Amino acid sequence: MHQLLLVSLWLLAAFPSSSIFQRPTRSPAAPHLQYLLEPLHAAVHTQRGATATLPCVLRALPRNYRVKWSKVEPANYGESVIIITNGLYYKNYGPLSPRVRLRHSHRYDASLTITDVTLEDEGRYRCQLVNGLEDESVSLTLHLEGIVFPYQPSNGRYRFNYHEAKRACEQQDARLATYQQLYEAWTEGLDWCNAGWVLDGTVHYPIIHSREPCGGRLLLPGIRSYGAKDKQRDRFDAFCFTSALQGQVYFIRGHLSFKEAGQACRNNGGAIAKVGQLYSAWKFSGLDRCDGGWLADGSVRYPITTPRQRCGGLPDPGVRSFGFPSKELRTYGTYCFAGT
């Protein structure tokens, strides 16, 4: 009995009710597909600026049918139609219209090709065969390789309502991260004690090292959640997501004010870099500099790929921040961005 009690206590400690680990639930059986082939892989991985194809192939052609592609929009609780075809003709819809086409490599192929992939293209897509009472569909996820970064404005933490957080990310060459992107970033080491909005209107923060006041020392590492909050009234930080750049971030050394930093970038054929662009260059191009530099939002940051004592002394790679110093201060250089 004593041993059983110890085992029970150990299990409670290892898997508390607030843990990120949950008891698996039995999913309903997938509907039988008569005409559509189940895709081999449920996710297609790509980067910003690339061309991606979401597979949808028919095993047989019904007499009268249509195939409808749509994008599932969890933030709006709906779907946006992208393209409809009857096998001979097709019609595009919505903002994706100029960048989508059917691959149509053979008569059974209804795969969707997206060119010049953007951050907003990330998400779940549905290929639906419309055939009277025998409608069926397959779902796929377009997954962008990228990086999540926490963001707050110059006037301190917890200043954004949902809509302001969304705009702030867009202004920094990013978008609000999805919960799945935040979770993946946590598995890769993101540890941040301030709560922030994600795309579906919920609020979370990721913790690797349990500590006070980040939920307490007794809770296991994981994603702490505040759930859905009022998008107008409640205020938090933002978790932004960006992907690979179509261009280059570079550093100009000097003792520049913020205004002089912007001019220096323009004189070199670029523009002062945004926060998302610096994170992208650090993540995808291995940008590594010990020099603080101005960015477009008035912050001063620097990217470290190989940690060393003289560059902040922190043991992990990352983008370090000096916050938002006075824009008149002539202490830093600047990071610039030049597109291709």
Side-chain angles (χ1 to χ4, degrees), residues 108-174:
Y108 298 98
D109 185 13
S111 302
L112 182 73
T113 295
I114 305 174
T115 61
D116 193 21
V117 170
T118 70
L119 297 176
E120 290 72 23
D121 296 340
E122 165 101 10
R124 192 155 64 94
Y125 292 76
R126 189 190 313 277
C127 176
Q128 181 180 11
L129 177 73
V130 181
N131 182 36
L133 298 177
E134 299 178 346
D135 293 358
E136 56 190 55
S137 65
V138 295
S139 294
L140 302 105
T141 298
L142 185 65
H143 177 81
L144 268 70
E145 299 172 7
I147 182 170
V148 172
F149 61 93
Y151 188 75
Q152 58 184 224
S154 60
N155 56 345
R157 72 172 193 161
Y158 294 176
R159 300 288 180 172
F160 296 134
N161 67 24
Y162 173 83
H163 306 287
E164 292 165 344
K166 190 170 183 290
R167 285 194 297 271
C169 290
E170 291 166 356
Q171 289 167 358
Q172 297 309 315
D173 192 49

